[in-house]
């Protein structure tokens, strides 16, 4: 059988094309290509070369339209035993191709060619073309006649033209030869035999039979020549006679042959145009042809030779003729029939050719699976012959089938596109529609696919193509591992290793083997997360733009994978990044991954390879890192893996699809699942953009690891050092606070930071931050809960409650690298988050505050005790305050201290350190507005420090008398009456609220002057918040503390009175007594003059009636009553007087004590028609109710006389 | 065998004969179920398009099965190989079985060769569903569209099928039109089959 | 107190508007399939189905009371009977039988010979543990809650799991006075 | 019963969703593979033929050597394909029809994803029983 036959074949003139002498392959290719271009020569062009010797047998040759067809057989071909039967099988001409430079001796060439031609007895024309001859050769050649034609060196075009004419010449001479042949055939006639005609027994009737048939066969052959001569009409004529004769002589085989010829003639005549009628005709005749060939099958010599191959060829010819989609049905039938013939073909190579042809035809029909099937048959035939070449052909043929079986290598990119085209379809909807999933895994016909891949593997191993072998093994292992026994898996692994050994190191293969790799996650360094979009327009450029990274808010985040795809990442040139991927090795052997790294096509990323070892059936999550090298976008389609000695790229998308199918139960298995790895939503690679280098600040708290531990209220500085770890200077930096307890940060040295800008790369700055510990009590409930959780220690170093320093900083607006215009988008800024971990410990605590009052009566003397209130007098300030310093603690016995109040603070120290506390009172008389020297008054009274040991408690007393106001004056008092307005019904004009507020204000004012500072250890010091406690303590009796009585009374012995007394008795005694009296003691039985000083503390005149009482120790009134022990002179009761504002009025009187002992003088007054102020002060409710005013008691010691 | 009280047990569903398609459940039972389907999917999506896609997806699963079942049971194992055949199959057979009536109309798209429309004055699934204003053009018919697509696609007539409300003069409720746009491969094949 | 004239389930079913059971079955199937695809975990699917059922139950009860003039029966026993004989019939066209009353009459079983949900369903290995009809238990729970009966409904038998019938155990937890249904999921 | 018979169900996406060697002949792996190759190739023929008739049973549509391929195309273009050496068309037809019914039941199971492998063991046993009965 012959490959590539068609109906027209019978009209083609076979020309053997053979190299003469050594011809370099490339030249040979070149020359033959030049020749092959001229396979049809139209008759019109050859007329010039044609000379009609005698009457041409081709009477109706179409000189204008017809043509001769050549079939060039490169390298020639052995002569066929069927030459007589089909003349087109004869080699009718020989063309030699000679490369003159490589064979200088032309004679030798001629001889060689002549020799070669011997092999082709049927050849009617021989030519030898000599290309690019040397000059010597040229002239030598020009001398000689014969069939050596030299192509003088010249440009291509001329050569082509030359070649054209040469072929035309050949055509012409062939035509003339045909004529000769035909003429002599018609006259003489020849014996035409085919292998079918049995040589064995030439029985007589055999011979007769042969004789009978000769004519017909001759006619047929003549027809053949007519066809070759390009004259279909003549051919047809001869064929029809031949048919006639053949039918008569029952020469079926030749009948069929003639019929074939006639069909060919028909087609040639129609110039290849196809109309249904013609098609019908051809179909009809060819079916005859086929059936006659079948008829001509002769049993007796069947095993030696049979017309079967002709039958099949005919079938194929028809099939090729009809091969159109519309006629698929018939073509399929023909081809199927042809295929059936295969097994009865004797010659293996015939079978091979048959299958090849069938495969081709199915291919052209678009039946790729059919084509693949027969190609595979071919491959198997090749594999049966044990030699390398066959193996190679087998491999190539199988490679053609891979598409149909969907196992093609990625190298053929059709499959490569598959994942990408379905990529979006499901990326959008998170879940894929079922049907679309199914179609994704279209034609997973694993049984077949594995077989094919195995065959490819085997053949490529045999053919010695390690890469093909590797890729086949890889595909097998990767796609079908679940169907392969561990042993088989190992086999494939070794196959991979072996083939890789034959490959140069660093060979790449389009088909990945193991492991399976899926994207796991993108861990984000804080530095990445805190990149802030920069708004150059405004000073606070970070405002309004949240840091990118995980903080972006996506309204549609339904936990569907697609929202990860929305995610955007910003990487910075030169700052290393990490990506987590998960590897799985579902096979039964140890998988050694020599190196794996992220494969990035955008070329602006340096990936760092690592080495991984995966035990059998195991999966691993590994971290792959790299460094973005230049600005732009980074896309990470997958990983590049160096495994089994070959470099492959593993795309994440493929695995995602695979897992998808697994989830739907459409693929064999999920490699990760079967390695016991949990299923995770497939992460799609986020949009990654790389921005130019940015500065990178790193912070550390100097000398402080972990939380700063502070006692409540403690104030301390911490030092934060910032270093620029980036490659770009920090040009702007802004510090802001956020988080809870921001007020705990008293001050941050912004300026220090500002001053060092721009902060060069590598530079460092340290800025102090002053912290004040908050009150444990005041911390909000949630961390109070945390507190209880973290136990009694109350360490709240939880980030929750600590304040945070936010430092927004940026590099230069345009970075030095590229000109500003292309960096039109401003490089983003950054945010450094410095959490100030503060852990507040319970420190010194106030247990309670109480108000104590102390009453010690004064002793009467010549002069009044200095009223304390005078201290506020503006005279001789300094001395007074000095004297007061001790006065606070000491009490002048003569003065006594009436209604003096103390604030007692009880403090305890639960900690394990010693506290020193110091109370200080600020003497500032805010109420005394008209006092010029207020600021001077703002002197502080230091108290001696008190030391409180650990686990002890201590009390501190603070006298409050210094807060007494000098005057019960309107200006202040209005305020006060407001304060008091609540109780007095007449001051409804003032709303309770304001009045309360006012009161509180005045109290606060008072309280704020009392400070309690503590100190502990070297540097820890703070202030204890006692305000509330004091406030509580004072609330009740604040009036008495703040306000003086409207009237104050003071008794004293009057000197003149004393003198007068001296006159009464002996002067010397009196002399004696004077010092005694000066001591404030009084003699019994002696008239003692005294005076009471009444001072009006208000701004108005006060009218009043007052009286003086004298009581003895028993408290009995000893002035009135029946057994009075004291006589008196002057008025003691009902004394009416008017005291002008802020004036004193003296009232004198004398007492005569009958009995020595201790007496007490008290003055009391009833104020007449008092004003509001007084009422208010007295807290009197009704207007007509009298107002009493009572002075402090004065002691009088009366000494007996002798 | 639904509603026929005591029925014999089958060792396996494959032993159970195919139903004759005569059994029924109350419309409201279906209504309740369907509204749950809609509500569930509504909770899964961000936008109307996605919701419709999911309903269509659900419908598709129904359609694919209905085709196989009905061709076997109601069409005596005849396949529809021609475009008009399959369309009328959908319009009459499928509709009759699923919705108890033949579809109101089956028309060919006027401007496009490859478009066909099946219209219902009141599509079953839209009878008991009222679309909240904020859901705009959302049409539960997407489910039915899915069924249709399931039938067509499985039968080898891939098409894009969508449901639309078409306001009708003289009626307060718009009718629902199932718009079918066939893939060109279908038309090409039709042409070839002549 | 027996309801005035409780119409028989069949009577009501005969009158109500009906649809082809196959549409119903297939639609339900599609729902379950979607849940399996979305939620992936069988347990989650059971939950979701029950929730859907509950949503239906609390809405369906009104229609039930309206169509069958079953006057609100206070007695749990009656209620159960009503559900089985009338409820299932009027909605699904199948009747259930009430059995396995416990001593104090607070727990019984509704037994379904067959139900339209499960035509030709067969649990593949990947779906073991799925209560395919879980929506029913939800419906019953929801509906009963609306007549102020807090119940716990569990599957005792499931033909899909090889049992010979579908048995729903309904346990009365407490009979609460009128209480408005909460929707815990939204 | 046919000495060789390979039955296979191919989904409309050309994925085999069920395979069974139902011949009485002793099973040989490579033979089985060859059978599938033949069936796979026959799909080309089916895909054209299926549109030329509305019948589901397409009879014998292809052959290779002495093995014949009979095909039954369901409405959903799921193809039941039988490779056999016997010539018992009626038997094959009824075999196909009954398997078709089984297939519909499988398909009606909402938990079965159309186009995916049929794993039900009941299905397998029933198909084999039918093969014994009809082939």
């Amino acid at each position: 059988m012959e490959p590539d036959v068609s109906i027209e074949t019978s009209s083609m003139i076979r020309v053997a094309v053979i190299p003469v002498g050594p011809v370099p392959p490339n030249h040979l290719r070149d020359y033959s290509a030049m020749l092959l271009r001229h396979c049809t020569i139209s008759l019109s062009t050859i007329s010039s070369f044609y000379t009609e010797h005698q009457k041409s047998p081709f009477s109706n040759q179409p000189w204008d339209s017809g043509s001769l067809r050549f079939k060039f057989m490169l390298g020639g071909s052995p002569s066929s035993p069927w030459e007589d039967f089909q003349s087109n099988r004869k080699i009718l001409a020989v063309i030699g191709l000679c490369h003159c430079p490589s064979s200088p001796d032309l004679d030798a060439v001629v001889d060689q060619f002549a020799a070669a031609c011997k092999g082709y007895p049927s050849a009617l024309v021989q030519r030898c073309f000599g290309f690019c001859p040397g000059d010597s050769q040229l002239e030598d050649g020009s001398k000689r006649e014969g069939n050596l034609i030299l192509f003088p060196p010249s440009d291509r075009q001329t050569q082509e033209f030359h070649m054209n004419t040469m072929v035309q010449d050949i055509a012409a001479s062939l035509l003339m030869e045909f004529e000769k042949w035909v003429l002599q055939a018609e006259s003489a006639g020849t014996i035409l035999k085919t292998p079918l005609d049995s040589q064995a027994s030439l029985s007589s009737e055999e011979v007769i039979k042969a004789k009978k048939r000769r004519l017909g066969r001759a006619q047929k052959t003549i027809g053949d020549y007519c066809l070759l001569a390009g004259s279909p009409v003549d051919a047809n004529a001869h064929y029809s006679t031949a048919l006639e004769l053949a039918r008569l002589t029952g020469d079926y085989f030749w009948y069929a042959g003639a019929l074939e010829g006639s069909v060919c003639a028909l087609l040639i005549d129609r110039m290849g145009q196809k109309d249904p009628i013609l098609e019908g005709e051809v179909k009809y005749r060819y079916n005859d042809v086929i059936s006659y060939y079948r008829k001509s099958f002769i049993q007796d010599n069947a095993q030696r030779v049979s017309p079967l191959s002709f039958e099949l060829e005919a079938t194929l010819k028809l099939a090729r003729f009809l091969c159109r989609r519309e006629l698929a049905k018939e073509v399929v039938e023909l081809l199927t029939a042809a295929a059936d013939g295969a097994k009865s073909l004797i010659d293996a190579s015939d079978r091979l050719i048959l299958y090849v042809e069938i495969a081709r035809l199915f291919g052209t029909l678009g039946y790729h699976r059919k084509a693949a099937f027969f190609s595979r048959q071919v491959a198997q035939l090749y594999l049966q012959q044990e030699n390398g070449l066959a193996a190679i052909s087998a491999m190539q043929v199988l490679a053609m089938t891979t598409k149909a079986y969907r196992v093609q290598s990625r190298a053929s990119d059709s499959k490569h596109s598959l994942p990408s085209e379905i990529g979006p379809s499901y990326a959008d909807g998170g879940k894929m529609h079922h049907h679309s999933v199914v179609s994704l895994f279209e034609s997973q016909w694993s049984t077949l696919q594995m077989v094919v891949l195995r065959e490819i593997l085997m053949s490529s191993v045999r053919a010695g193509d390690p890469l093909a072998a590797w890729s086949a093994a890889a595909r097998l292992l990767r796609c079908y591992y679940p169907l392969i026994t561990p042993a088989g898996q190992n086999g494939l692994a070794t196959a991979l290793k072996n083939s890789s050994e034959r490959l140069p190191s660093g060979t790449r293969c389009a088909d990945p083997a193991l492991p399976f790799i899926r994207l796991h996650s993108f861990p984000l360094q804080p530095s990445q997360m805190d990149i802030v979009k920069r708004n150059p327009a405004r000073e606070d450029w970070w405002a309004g733009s949240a840091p990118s990274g995980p903080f972006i808010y996506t309204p549609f985040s339904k936990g569907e994978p697609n929202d990860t795809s929305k995610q955007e990442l910003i990487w910075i040139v030169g700052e290393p990044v990490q990506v987590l991927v998960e590897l799985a090795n579902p096979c039964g052997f140890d998988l050694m991954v020599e190196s794996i790294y992220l494969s990035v096509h955008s070329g602006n990323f340096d990936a760092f390879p690592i080495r991984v070892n995966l035990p059998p059936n195991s999966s691993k999550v590994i971290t792959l890192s790299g460094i973005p090298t230049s600005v732009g976008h980074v896309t990470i389609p997958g990983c590049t893996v160096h495994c089994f000695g070959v470099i492959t790229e593993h795309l994440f998308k493929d695995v995602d699809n695979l897992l998808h199918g697994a989830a739907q139960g459409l693929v064999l298995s999920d490699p990760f699942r079967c390695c016991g790895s949990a299923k995770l939503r497939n992460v799609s690679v986020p949009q990654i953009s790389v921005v130019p280098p940015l500065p990178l600040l790193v912070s550390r708290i100097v000398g402080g690891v972990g939380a700063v531990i502070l006692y409540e209220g403690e104030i301390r500085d911490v030092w934060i050092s910032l270093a620029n770890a980036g490659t770009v200077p920090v040009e702007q930096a802004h510090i802001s606070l956020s988080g809870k307890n921001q007020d705990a940060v008293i001050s941050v040295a912004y300026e220090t930071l500002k001053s060092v800008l721009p902060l060069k790369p590598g530079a460092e700055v340290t800025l102090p931050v002053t912290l004040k510990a908050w009150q444990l009590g005041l911390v909000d409930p949630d961390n109070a809960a945390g507190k209880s959780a973290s136990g009694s220690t109350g360490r709240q170093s939880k980030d929750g409650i600590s304040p945070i320093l936010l430092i927004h900083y940026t590099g230069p607006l345009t970075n030095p690298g590229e000109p500003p215009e292309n960096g039109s988008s401003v490089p983003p800024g950054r945010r450094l988050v410095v959490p100030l971990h503060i852990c507040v410990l319970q420190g010194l605590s106030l247990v309670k505050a109480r108000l104590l009052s102390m009453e010690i009566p004064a002793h009467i003397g010549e002069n009044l005790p200095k009223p304390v209130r005078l201290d506020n007098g503006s005279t001789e300030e300094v001395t007074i305050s000095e004297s007061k310093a001790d006065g606070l603690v000491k009490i002048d016995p003569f003065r006594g201290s009436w209604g003096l109040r103390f604030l007692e603070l009880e403090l305890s120290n639960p900690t394990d350190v010693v506290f020193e506390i110091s109370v200080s009172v600020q003497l500032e008389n805010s109420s005394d507005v008209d006092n010029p020297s207020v600021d001077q008054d703002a002197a502080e009274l230091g108290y001696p420090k008190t030391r409180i040991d650990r686990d002890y408690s201590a009390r501190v007393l603070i006298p409050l008398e210094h807060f007494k106001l000098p005057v019960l004056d309107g200006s202040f008092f209005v305020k006060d009456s407001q304060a008091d307005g609540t109780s007095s019904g007449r001051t409804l004009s003032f709303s309770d609220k304001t009045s309360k507020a006012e009161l509180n204000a005045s109290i606060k004012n008072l309280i704020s002057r009392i400070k309690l500072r503590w100190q502990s250890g070297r540097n820890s010091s703070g202030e204890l918040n006692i305000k509330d406690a004091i406030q509580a303590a004072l609330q009740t009796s604040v009036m008495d503390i703040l306000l003086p009585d409207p009237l104050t009374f003071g008794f004293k012995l009057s000197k003149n009175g004393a003198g007068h007394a001296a006159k009464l008795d002996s002067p010397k005694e009196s002399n004696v007594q004077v010092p005694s009296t000066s001591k404030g003691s009084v003699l019994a039985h002696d008239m003692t003059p005294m005076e009471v000083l009444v001072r009006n503390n208000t701004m108005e005149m006060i009218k009043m009636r007052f009286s003086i009482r004298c009581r003895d120790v028993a408290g009995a009134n000893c002035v009135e009553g029946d057994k009075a022990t004291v006589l008196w002179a002057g008025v003691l009761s009902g004394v009416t007087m008017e005291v002008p504002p802020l004036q004193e009025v003296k009232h004198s009187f004398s007492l005569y004590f009958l009995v020595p002992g201790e007496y007490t003088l008290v003055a009391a007054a009833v104020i007449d028609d008092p004003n509001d102020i007084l009422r208010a002060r007295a807290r009197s409710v009704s207007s007509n109710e009298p107002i009493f005013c009572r002075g402090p008691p004065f002691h009088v010691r009366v000494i007996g006389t002798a | 065998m639904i509603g026929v009280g005591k029925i014999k047990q089958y060792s396996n569903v494959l032993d159970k004969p195919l139903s004759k398609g005569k059994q029924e459940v109350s419309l409201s039972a279906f209504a309740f179920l369907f509204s749950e389907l809609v509500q569930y999917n509504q909770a899964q999506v961000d936008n109307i398009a996605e919701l419709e896609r999911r309903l269509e997806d659900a419908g598709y699963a129904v359609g694919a099965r209905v085709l196989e079942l009905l061709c076997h049971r109601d069409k005596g194992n005849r396949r529809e190989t021609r475009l008009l055949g399959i369309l009328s199959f959908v319009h009459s057979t499928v509709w009759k079985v699923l919705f108890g009536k033949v579809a109101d109309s089956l028309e060919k798209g006027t401007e496009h060769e490859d478009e066909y429309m099946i219209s219902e004055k009141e599509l079953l699934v839209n009878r008991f569903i009222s679309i909240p204003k904020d859901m705009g053009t959302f049409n539960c018919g997407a489910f039915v569209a899915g069924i249709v697509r399931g039938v067509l696609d499985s039968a080898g007539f891939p098409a894009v099928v969508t449901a639309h409300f078409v306001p009708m003069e003289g009626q307060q409720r718009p009718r629902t039109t199932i718009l079918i746009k066939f893939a060109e491969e279908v038309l090409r094949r039709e042409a070839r089959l002549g | 107190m027996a309801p005035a004239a409780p119409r028989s389930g069949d009577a009501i079913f005969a009158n109500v508007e009906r649809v082809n059971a196959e549409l119903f079955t297939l639609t339900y199937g599609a729902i379950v399939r979607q849940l399996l695809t979305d939620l992936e975990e069988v347990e989650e699917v059971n939950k979701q189905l029950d929730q859907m059922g509950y949503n239906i139950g609390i809405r369906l009860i009104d229609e039930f009371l309206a169509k069958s003039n079953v006057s609100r029966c206070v007695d749990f026993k009656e209620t159960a009977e009503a559900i089985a004989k009338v409820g299932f019939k009027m909605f699904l066209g199948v009747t259930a039988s009430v059995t396995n009353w416990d001593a104090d009459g607070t727990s019984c079983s509704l037994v379904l010979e067959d139900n339209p949900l499960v035509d030709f369903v067969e649990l593949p290995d990947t779906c073991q543990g799925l209560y395919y009809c879980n929506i029913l238990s939800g419906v019953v729970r929801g509906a009963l809650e609306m007549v102020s009966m807090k119940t716990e409904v569990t599957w005792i038998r499931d033909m899909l799991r090889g049992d010979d019938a579908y048995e729903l155990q309904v346990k009365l937890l407490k009979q609460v006075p009128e209480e408005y249904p909460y929707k815990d999921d939204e | 019963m046919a000495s060789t018979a390979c039955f296979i169900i191919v989904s409309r996406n050309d994925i085999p969703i069920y395979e069974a060697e139902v011949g009485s002949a002793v099973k040989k792996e490579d033979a089985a593979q060859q059978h599938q190759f033949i069936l796979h190739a026959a799909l080309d023929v089916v895909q054209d033929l299926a549109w030329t008739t509305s019948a589901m049973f397409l009879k014998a549509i292809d052959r290779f050597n002495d093995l014949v391929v009979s095909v039954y195309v369901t409405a959903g273009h799921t193809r039941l394909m039988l490779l056999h050496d016997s010539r018992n068309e009626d038997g094959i037809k009824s075999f196909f029809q009954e398997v078709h019914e089984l297939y519909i039941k499988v398909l009606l199971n909402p938990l079965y994803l159309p186009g995916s492998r049929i794993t039900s063991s009941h299905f397998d046993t029933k198909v084999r029983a039918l093969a014994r009965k009809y082939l």
Side-chain angles (χ1 to χ4, degrees), chain B residues 10 12-20 65 68-69 72, chain C residues 26 118-122, chain D residues 74 97-113 118 120 122-123 126 130:
Chain B
Y10 297 105
N12 178 263
V13 291
L14 294 182
D15 302 320
K16 184 174 167 184
L18 282 169
S19 70
K20 301 277 167 295
R65 294 171 164 85
E68 199 69 71
L69 178 64
H72 170 68
Chain C
L26 290 172
V118 297
D119 250 3
F120 295 107
V121 176
E122 191 178 21
Chain D
T74 73
Q97 280 171 341
E98 299 221 8
V99 175
H100 180 208
E101 187 145 335
L102 286 179
Y103 170 71
I104 291 177
K105 292 174 186 173
V106 170
L107 184 68
L108 284 179
N109 176 358
L111 301 182
Y112 168 78
L113 170 61
I118 300 177
S120 154
H122 296 99
F123 184 82
K126 286 187 156 297
L130 289 171

Side-chain angles (χ1 to χ4, degrees), chain B:
Chain B
M1 305 297 118
I2 298 164
V4 188
K6 182 75 187 148
I7 56 147
K8 63 188 263 288
Q9 305 296 337
Y10 297 105
S11 67
N12 178 263
V13 291
L14 294 182
D15 302 320
K16 184 174 167 184
L18 282 169
S19 70
K20 301 277 167 295
K22 297 281 168 287
Q23 297 79 32
E24 291 179 315
V25 299
S26 82
L27 173 62
S28 46
F30 177 74
F32 283 128
L33 186 67
F34 186 75
S35 70
E36 278 308 311
L37 170 67
V38 177
Q39 282 175 33
Y40 165 75
N41 280 302
Q42 203 174 338
Q44 301 296 305
V45 303
D46 325 310
N47 53 52
I48 299 306
E50 180 68 1
L51 174 54
E52 285 182 326
R53 205 221 84 221
R54 289 181 63 99
L55 284 182
E56 191 187 331
D57 198 9
Y60 186 97
V62 176
R65 294 171 164 85
V66 163
L67 170 78
E68 199 69 71
L69 178 64
L70 297 195
C71 279
H72 170 68
R73 190 177 63 199
D74 301 30
K75 302 295 267 177
N77 284 345
R78 306 304 285 178
R79 292 178 297 120
E80 294 298 344
T81 59
R82 305 308 303 267
L83 191 129
L84 290 180
I86 194 71
L87 279 173
S88 64
F89 172 76
V90 172
H91 159 272
S92 38
T93 316
V94 173
W95 237 258
K96 190 102 187 61
V97 171
L98 292 189
F99 308 127
K101 66 186 283 299
V102 174
D104 290 347
S105 73
L106 165 62
E107 314 151 69
K108 188 176 202 311
T110 47
E111 61 278 9
H112 297 297
E113 271 305 294
D114 56 355
E115 287 187 354
Y116 292 81
M117 292 168 293
I118 295 179
S119 301
E120 265 290 348
K121 205 178 306 84
E122 198 171 42
L123 196 61
L124 182 74
V125 296
N126 280 340
R127 274 170 56 182
F128 38 78
I129 299 275
S130 62
I131 310 301
K133 289 284 152 290
D134 62 341
M135 295 188 62
T137 66
F138 169 68
N139 187 333
C140 290
F143 179 71
V144 179
I147 295 181
V148 172
R149 196 165 71 82
V151 171
L152 293 177
D153 197 22
S154 313
F157 296 82
V160 178
V161 185
T162 47
H164 308 274
F165 282 121
V166 180
M168 304 279 287
E169 65 285 350
Q171 254 130 19
Q172 76 285 16
R173 295 199 61 162
R175 72 174 190 182
T176 300
T177 292
I178 306 289
L179 178 63
I180 303 166
K181 187 175 179 62
F182 285 102
E184 71 274 15
E185 65 179 276
V186 175
L187 299 177
R188 256 191 267 105
R189 184 179 62 224
E190 276 297 305
R192 197 169 67 243
L193 296 177

Side-chain angles (χ1 to χ4, degrees), chain A residues 3-4 13-20 23 25-39 70-78 91 93-98 120 129 131 163:
Chain A
D4 194 18
I13 305 165
R14 278 192 199 180
V15 180
V17 180
I18 53 174
V20 180
V23 182
N26 56 332
H27 288 89
L28 184 58
R29 226 175 291 117
D30 179 29
Y31 301 150
S32 43
M34 232 196 290
L35 179 61
L36 261 53
R37 221 170 270 110
H38 310 287
C39 49
F70 289 113
K71 184 173 187 181
F72 297 105
M73 319 286 281
L74 294 184
S77 74
I91 299 291
V94 183
I95 295 179
L97 298 178
C98 171
Y120 304 98
F129 296 159
F131 294 92
M163 174 65 80

